[in-house]
Amino acid sequence: GKEDPARTIVMKMTRMLGTDAFWKERITSKSSSIRSAAYKLVTALAEGAPYLLAPSLPALSPLVLGAFGDKDPAAHSALWEMVLVYCSKFPQCWDSGNLFKAV
């Protein structure tokens, strides 16, 4: 039979978002614009499709919480929204054994 396009998209997104490198490259980028976009993506996914982030929690949580070190005021609004939404959706993020790796 025909493959469900929505299922295919979710599978591809899950695979892409599930790679540690995907998040690390964006959340720790030297570009404030890229970091802000990554923060907004995490926020949107945590709010609307948390199941896409769930497989990445062990690698993503230290990056999200480590983003507190972002010194660029232009990124702070997106940063705070990300941290608040992410931590409310995934309270276990504080339990991560490697929490301070990214800080």
Side-chain angles (χ1 to χ4, degrees):
K2 255 187 163 177
E3 197 169 320
D4 178 16
R7 181 176 158 84
T8 302
I9 290 168
V10 168
M11 287 174 49
K12 287 181 179 180
M13 290 289 294
T14 302
R15 211 173 352 209
M16 179 184 71
L17 298 173
T19 63
D20 298 352
F22 176 86
W23 293 112
K24 187 170 185 169
E25 288 171 12
R26 286 152 184 86
I27 290 178
T28 63
S29 173
K30 291 186 188 309
S31 166
S32 159
S33 298
I34 291 174
R35 289 192 312 277
S36 289
Y39 301 160
K40 290 174 185 178
L41 178 59
V42 171
T43 302
L45 290 171
E47 288 178 326
Y51 58 89
L52 290 174
L53 293 180
S56 302
L57 290 183
L60 186 55
S61 293
L63 291 170
V64 167
L65 298 173
F68 277 121
D70 194 325
K71 294 178 181 20
D72 189 337
H76 287 175
S77 176
L79 163 69
W80 280 105
E81 186 177 8
M82 171 188 70
V83 171
L84 293 172
V85 170
Y86 184 87
C87 291
S88 70
K89 291 288 183 180
F90 303 109
Q92 69 271 34
C93 71
W94 296 104
D95 301 334
S96 176
N98 59 353
L99 183 62
F100 295 102
K101 260 189 189 176
V103 179

